Amino acid sequence: MAPGPTDMRGPCPGLNTLANHGYVPRNGIVSVDHIMNAAQVRFNLGSGFSKAVASFAVLSRGNPMLNLISIGGESALVHPLPGNIDGIPGGLSKHGRFEGDVSMTRRDAAFGDCASFQPSMFANLLTYAEKLGQDGIVTPEVFVNYRFDLFLQSISKNPKMTFHEGRRAFGYGEAGLTLDLMPDGPAGSPPPPCPYS
Ligand code: HEM
């Protein structure tokens, strides 16, 4: 189901998909437990990894005292911490901490909106699949080359580009998540009904 006008969606296609299917609340305002459970049950992600990533998200861009985060931009439902000690929690769309440069389908923050899907970037990725994939199917080699070329382009065009160790690991990890968790395989059994209508 497409998100409504006030529903939050952001830079992560995995979390956006979970919200579109109602596997986490459709308004995109979620807790550590929502993310953890949905990632494990719907994507078969390991429990340790799910806990770590969900906790990092809420700690870095949410309100850990409320145990809430927006998977997109700022939300009035996710209040600042007492005394406003860390400003307004930006949600996952806010650049820095979690969202970073050299994304596969999102722009670098220096060039504007860094959270919305860019069809032209996706089209470019598909040309790599044509050139390097197996009969047009995306393989690890496609992502390795696509990501590295994006990195070189960012270095040459974006003086404010950052790609620190954590981002490097996540950047390549995100490509791995796509390969592992979103394969185009034969139809399996239908998923159980979604809890958030
Ligand atoms: C479990 C909790 C998860 C959290 C907190 C999370 C969070 C994020 C965030 C903040 C980004 C943006 C990073 C950037 O700047 O590019 C991102 C990107 C991404 N996520 Fe997730 N994610 C999670 C799970 C998943 C899952 C389950 C999948 C796949 C099924 C997934 C696939 C991706 C992909 C492919 C990107 C890269 C998008 C791009 O570079 O254009 N994520 N995620």
Side-chain angles (χ1 to χ4, degrees), residues 86-104:
D86 192 30
I88 298 171
L92 285 179
S93 295
K94 185 166 180 178
H95 181 61
R97 300 190 187 169
F98 207 142
E99 195 291 322
D101 290 332
V102 199
S103 304
M104 294 180 288

Side-chain angles (χ1 to χ4, degrees), residues 161-172:
M161 183 268 241
T162 55
F163 202 57
H164 49 76
E165 284 303 322
R167 178 76 196 114
R168 206 174 299 182
F170 267 99
Y172 281 91

Side-chain angles (χ1 to χ4, degrees), residues 104 138 140 143-144 147 169-181:
M104 294 180 288
V138 176
F143 278 128
V144 166
R147 282 213 124 287
F170 267 99
Y172 281 91
E174 286 153 13
L177 282 177
T178 313
L179 288 166
D180 270 355
L181 308 182

